[in-house]
Amino acid sequence: MGKTKKTKQFAQMKRLISLKDTRIKAKDKYKEKKKRKKADPQNMKIRELPQASSALFFKYNTNLGPPYHILLDTNFINFSIKNKLDIIQSMMDCLYAKCIPYVSDCVMAELEKLGSKYRVALKIAKDPRFVRLPCMHKGTYADDCLVQRVNQHKCYIVATCDKDLKRRIRKIPGVPIMYLAQHRFSIERMPDAYGAPKI
């Protein structure tokens, strides 16, 4: 006995979606979101965002340019002496431009506190080629002083070998960091760092 051929059914009924289907519920939620009332202007929370510097073009800092202004940290001066590097000459070798080193009062106070072991570093910091920056804030913690100064003015490069300070400065956009690597100065986050070794 052979198979009987089934004829196509022409007026088939379309399958209906059940009322418990998740797609229907999702549409309802979307409608509810649209219907929500606007927030009352009297009960709105005020959000304060720090004002972005006008010197920044995305992450590129337009304030940076020769002569470079470099803020020195205590340990950067100490490591330069240990590696027998002339600070100003090595900075010029790194950036291929004139560099003006800046030392804040907090850094000087930190060097004075360190005692007689660091008298060479103190003598170098008192060099007339180094520009002295007065500090108006309370306390003598140099890291806070440098971070605060860099937040206010985006024209500085921070020279440090301190990991914690580097981590804090990396969070601030448009501030390059100079550090010691392979017995020479190197720079990170600088768009046109010609003398920096490729690490």
Side-chain angles (χ1 to χ4, degrees):
M1 226 172 141
K3 290 182 181 178
T4 56
K5 288 185 179 179
K6 283 188 179 180
T7 56
K8 285 185 180 178
Q9 293 177 347
F10 289 101
Q12 271 187 333
M13 193 175 153
K14 288 184 179 177
R15 284 173 55 199
L16 294 173
I17 297 173
S18 68
L19 294 170
K20 293 180 181 178
D21 199 305
T22 55
R23 291 173 285 183
I24 294 171
K25 289 177 183 176
K27 285 179 183 176
D28 291 342
K29 284 179 185 176
Y30 181 71
K31 285 178 185 175
E32 282 175 22
K33 283 181 184 176
K34 277 190 172 180
K35 287 179 184 177
R36 281 185 190 163
K37 291 179 182 177
K38 288 183 180 177
D40 188 30
Q42 292 174 345
N43 297 335
M44 286 178 69
K45 291 181 182 177
I46 298 168
R47 264 180 35 187
E48 288 187 27
L49 295 171
Q51 189 175 356
S53 173
S54 60
L56 291 178
F57 181 73
F58 296 111
K59 286 185 179 179
Y60 183 76
N61 191 349
T62 55
N63 269 358
L64 292 174
Y68 293 106
H69 307 284
I70 300 167
L71 274 173
L72 299 178
D73 190 24
T74 315
N75 55 26
F76 187 81
I77 298 168
N78 292 336
F79 278 106
S80 300
I81 294 164
K82 281 181 185 174
N83 286 301
K84 297 176 182 173
L85 292 169
D86 178 26
I87 293 174
I88 294 174
Q89 189 58 47
S90 299
M91 282 177 181
M92 287 177 162
D93 292 345
C94 178
L95 292 168
Y96 293 150
K98 187 183 177 189
C99 299
I100 304 164
Y102 288 85
V103 180
S104 68
D105 287 345
C106 294
V107 172
M108 290 297 282
E110 212 171 78
L111 282 168
E112 285 167 3
K113 278 182 188 175
L114 288 169
S116 59
K117 276 187 179 180
Y118 298 94
R119 65 177 177 271
V120 178
L122 188 63
K123 195 172 183 181
I124 286 171
K126 287 181 178 176
D127 189 325
R129 295 178 296 174
F130 287 45
V131 179
R132 185 82 177 262
L133 291 172
C135 292
M136 298 299 175
H137 57 83
K138 289 181 181 177
T140 55
Y141 188 54
D143 289 8
D144 289 341
C145 173
L146 294 175
V147 169
Q148 182 188 353
R149 201 173 285 274
V150 161
N151 267 324
Q152 288 172 349
H153 313 285
K154 293 274 193 269
C155 62
Y156 294 113
I157 297 170
V158 179
T160 184
C161 296
D162 186 10
K163 285 182 181 176
D164 294 330
L165 183 58
K166 276 187 192 176
R167 198 177 295 120
R168 283 174 72 182
I169 289 168
R170 281 187 192 116
K171 291 175 185 173
I172 307 165
V175 181
I177 302 166
M178 188 177 275
Y179 61 96
L180 266 149
Q182 299 165 3
H183 302 289
R184 58 185 286 191
F185 291 172
S186 184
I187 196 153
E188 74 178 51
R189 299 173 68 194
M190 187 83 167
D192 45 2
Y194 308 111
K198 306 289 182 274
I199 296 172

